[in-house]
Amino acid sequence: QVQLVESGGGLVQAGGSLRLSCVAPGRTFSGYARGWFRQAPGKEREFVASISSMGSNKYYADFVKGRFTISRDNAKNTVYLQMNSLKPEDTAVYYCGAGPDAYGTRRLSVADIGYWGQGTQVTVSS
């Protein structure tokens, strides 16, 4: 069953911004580390950003550092990804996930994720 639901994707021009949201309708993930991943056609799913359960630790992939910001609002059971200065190479389906907070002190990997959303498409035109 779907545990997480992403929204906020769309089509933007290079240099534009989007804010992705990921909500959990059926359960709380306040005690979990949360992460964003992306997958382009023909490519493996890759890490984008992650955040520990209380938001004190944040990690970013090198290719988004300084452009993207991950945050969370545990009262709303929601995690966000603010994406600025978007580039065509950012085009992908973006997925949110949740994993044990034991992994909250480092960046998450795909293998760490126990719960996934179905993804939201981000397309950046040049």
Side-chain angles (χ1 to χ4, degrees), residues 27-86:
R27 62 188 290 169
T28 180
F29 287 93
S30 60
Y32 290 76
R34 304 284 292 274
W36 287 96
F37 299 76
R38 70 188 189 187
Q39 188 166 20
K43 305 293 184 180
E44 67 182 30
R45 190 169 298 187
E46 63 182 352
F47 168 80
V48 175
S50 61
I51 186 169
S52 58
S53 63
M54 298 303 295
S56 56
N57 299 319
K58 299 177 181 179
Y59 302 93
Y60 298 94
D62 289 343
F63 53 79
V64 304
K65 194 171 297 182
R67 299 189 297 124
F68 293 8
T69 303
I70 189 170
S71 61
R72 66 191 296 165
D73 184 342
N74 285 341
K76 296 180 179 179
N77 206 17
T78 302
V79 65
Y80 304 94
L81 185 68
Q82 178 66 47
M83 305 187 295
N84 299 325
S85 302
L86 284 162

Side-chain angles (χ1 to χ4, degrees), residues 1-7 21-30 34 74-79 96 98 115-118:
Q1 65 200 69
V2 176
Q3 302 291 334
L4 302 166
V5 181
E6 303 93 339
S7 63
S21 299
C22 180
V23 300
R27 62 188 290 169
T28 180
F29 287 93
S30 60
R34 304 284 292 274
N74 285 341
K76 296 180 179 179
N77 206 17
T78 302
V79 65
C96 67
Y115 304 91
W116 291 102
Q118 291 188 314

